[in-house]
Every structure is written in structure tokens, then in C-alpha cells.
Amino acid sequence: MIVIGLTGSIGMGKSTTAEMFSNAGIPVISADEIVHELYRGEAVQPIEAAFPGATVDGAVDREALSRTLLADPTGFERLEAIIHPLVRAREEAFVDQARADGHAMVLVDIPLLYETGAENRVDVVVVVTCDADIQRQRVMARPGMTVEKFEAILARQVPDAEKRARADHIIDTGQGLEPARRQVADIIAALGASKQG
């Protein structure tokens, strides 16, 4: 089974691209979705212990946590030490299940793939990209986004140019949905052919 790692900087269209793989019949797991679940489950107590006041009514308050991290960027390492092992365990269980179910491919959507060394856990890396102006427009349109927050996120991510240089495949979402969908189909076909060859 081929394990595809999907990544891309904020606002590049990664979630939409992951959905395209899913619609093509590839099992997909998203690190972001796992984090959302963990923030309502097993990560709540350790996060409250590390960041008092970051949880409300038994769930992590993302806005409160975000404010804490913006004020003290050293907190990111503490947060990642809590979250990353939990996310990785869920990803591994998902991949093992897909393998047991006989799937030819599985996609793991990992926003911080290069930043966390996750490229070593996948067979192929697909990077989602678009023009920086399009990226900025998409991100700034998000509710609650500020220039300060956007720049803080970018500062923690491997630059887009480096991601593209290290990728096995690139999907440019700046041309619209149909061209992106064709690129996804081409990658699936190429991986299927390489598996048979």
C-alpha cells in the first residue's frame, strides 16, 4: 500500500485537495480533524495543565489557546509535545486499518509534515500550493484572522518554495477546482502505474 503525505502552507487549498482524493476513493485522514477531536477529548486535561485557562466546559478553547501562544511562542513546543504523539498514534491506526482492508493507497493530510519530520513516515509527498497573493486573500478572509496571526503561522511553517522543491508531486490550486481535480487524478494514476510496474 502506498502512503501519501499531503501538505501545504496555510490557505493553499489542502483540505479541498484532500477531499478530492477522498472523492476518488482514497481513504483520507486529516491531522487537523484529529486535533479537533483531541481538543474535545484526551488532550483536554494535559493542555489545561500546561496552559491554565485554555479550556472551557471540558474542551480546549482554541481562541484562548491561540492568544496564549501568540503572547508566548515558546508554548508551541509544549503544545506539540502533548498533541503530536496522540495525532501520530491515530494516523498509524488509520493506516494499519486501511492496509488490513486491502486499499492500494491511503492519504494522510499533515499540515506540518516537513516541520515534524513526517516525510519519513510516508512513501510519497504531495504539496499543495498557489500564488502568494491568492494564499493571502484566502487566509485573510477567514473569521478571526489577523495579519499578526497569519504572519505568526507562516513563521512556523517551512516556506512554500522549499516545500515545492522537496515534493514528489505538486498540486497548484490557484487555477481553480477543475485543474486541481485533474492534477489529483493524474497523481493517483501515476502512483497506481508505479505500483503495478
Side-chain angles (χ1 to χ4, degrees):
M1 186 180 75
I2 297 171
V3 180
I4 305 164
L6 181 75
T7 196
S9 298
I10 184 171
M12 294 298 194
K14 196 170 46 53
S15 299
T16 303
T17 303
E19 199 176 309
M20 291 175 184
F21 277 93
S22 179
N23 291 340
I26 310 284
V28 171
I29 189 166
S30 157
D32 279 347
E33 286 175 20
I34 296 170
V35 170
H36 280 287
E37 289 172 19
L38 292 171
Y39 278 9
R40 293 189 303 270
E42 62 195 286
V44 175
Q45 284 180 312
I47 287 176
E48 179 61 31
F51 306 97
T55 65
V56 175
D57 298 330
V60 173
D61 180 333
R62 295 178 82 98
E63 283 303 309
L65 182 59
S66 179
R67 283 193 299 274
T68 302
L69 294 172
L70 273 175
D72 177 17
T74 62
F76 279 107
E77 285 181 19
R78 293 198 312 277
L79 178 63
E80 287 166 0
I82 296 166
I83 291 294
H84 287 173
L86 297 172
V87 171
R88 186 169 175 174
R90 296 263 188 113
E91 286 170 354
E92 287 171 357
F94 182 85
V95 169
D96 290 346
Q97 186 60 55
R99 188 175 283 116
D101 291 343
H103 289 282
M105 294 174 213
V106 64
L107 184 135
V108 186
D109 173 353
I110 309 174
L112 298 176
L113 181 135
Y114 288 120
E115 293 82 349
T116 60
E119 73 268 28
N120 300 319
R121 303 199 316 264
V122 299
D123 302 311
V124 177
V125 175
V126 176
V127 168
V128 181
T129 188
C130 69
D131 183 78
D133 290 340
I134 296 172
Q135 175 193 24
R136 179 172 282 275
Q137 284 170 6
R138 287 175 180 170
V139 175
M140 293 313 296
R142 293 182 180 186
M145 185 54 69
T146 63
V147 172
E148 180 190 30
K149 207 186 268 189
F150 179 39
E151 286 172 356
I153 292 167
L154 283 183
R156 296 188 58 254
Q157 296 185 337
V158 168
D160 180 54
E162 186 182 331
K163 284 182 179 147
R164 290 196 316 265
R166 293 168 69 180
D168 297 301
H169 299 276
I170 296 171
I171 295 174
D172 184 348
T173 64
Q175 316 301 314
L177 291 174
E178 273 314 308
R181 207 171 273 120
R182 281 197 297 276
Q183 293 169 71
V184 167
D186 290 347
I187 290 169
I188 292 170
L191 293 176
S194 72
K195 197 168 192 284
Q196 286 156 6

